[in-house]
Amino acid sequence: MEDMAFKDPNGNYYAVDVKTHNIDTDFNMPNLISVKRLATFYKNDDNNNFCILIVSYKVVDGKIEYQNCYFKRIESFNWACLTLGALGWGQIQIANANKLKFDPDNNSLRKSWMLALCEKLFVFYDEEISKIGERKTWFNSIKAYWENK
């Protein structure tokens, strides 16, 4: 889940996922974390924090030049720049790393962000069920084709 981790003097635990981003690319959609892992991590201990360290760079004359850096708890990422992917229970992804948007990070943000995650997952899972139904129907026609051949 994390590339590095540390505890602060107050006993808060920070799991940090490091992402690099080449700003000269048109589109980047990195996975951040499994929705189940994040939900479990946050439910287990209120002192747990899942953070993303994004280091942006560009390549100039064959050399990497640092551009900027963000160190944010996941709940400070605005949902407008995130999406859900269909891997396992679901993956939280950055929709496009060139278009990041953050909310002010405060202690009450986690609850509202996690409630929004749950609501988004309910919609996402309903869409996935619909897709699975379409896939089953399509493969039933393939099966019928092979049975009747």
Side-chain angles (χ1 to χ4, degrees):
M1 180 168 87
E2 66 265 29
D3 295 308
M4 62 182 146
F6 63 92
K7 268 191 175 179
D8 71 13
N10 298 320
N12 295 306
Y13 180 78
Y14 297 86
V16 182
D17 185 20
V18 179
K19 301 292 182 195
T20 58
H21 171 58
N22 182 346
I23 63 170
D24 286 332
T25 58
D26 291 330
F27 182 76
N28 292 71
M29 193 172 181
N31 286 339
L32 297 180
I33 189 170
S34 155
V35 295
K36 186 175 183 188
R37 287 184 92 179
L38 180 66
T40 302
F41 183 64
Y42 275 178
K43 186 179 175 190
N44 284 345
D45 190 339
D46 286 339
N47 292 321
N48 285 343
N49 295 278
F50 182 67
C51 301
I52 313 296
L53 172 62
I54 301 174
V55 179
S56 298
Y57 67 92
K58 65 180 180 177
V59 179
V60 177
D61 297 326
K63 295 181 182 175
I64 295 175
E65 286 189 5
Y66 164 82
Q67 296 298 302
N68 58 42
C69 178
Y70 300 99
F71 181 74
K72 303 280 186 178
R73 291 189 305 164
I74 194 166
E75 58 265 31
S76 67
F77 282 74
N78 185 286
W79 277 105
C81 75
L82 298 176
T83 190
L84 296 170
L87 180 62
W89 286 66
Q91 285 284 321
I92 300 172
Q93 299 172 306
I94 295 175
N96 183 343
N98 291 319
K99 298 177 181 177
L100 297 175
K101 185 175 180 185
F102 303 106
D103 292 326
D105 198 355
N106 60 56
N107 291 336
S108 65
L109 185 59
R110 179 175 297 177
K111 180 179 178 178
S112 62
W113 194 90
M114 289 298 292
L115 288 171
L117 169 62
C118 292
E119 292 301 321
K120 290 180 180 306
L121 281 168
F122 297 149
V123 171
F124 175 75
Y125 288 150
D126 285 343
E127 291 170 355
E128 290 302 300
I129 290 168
S130 175
K131 289 177 190 176
I132 294 298
E134 291 172 14
R135 293 171 191 163
K136 285 178 71 174
T137 299
W138 188 83
F139 271 104
N140 273 332
S141 71
I142 298 301
K143 180 182 177 190
Y145 168 82
W146 287 104
E147 288 174 336
N148 296 316
K149 189 166 171 97

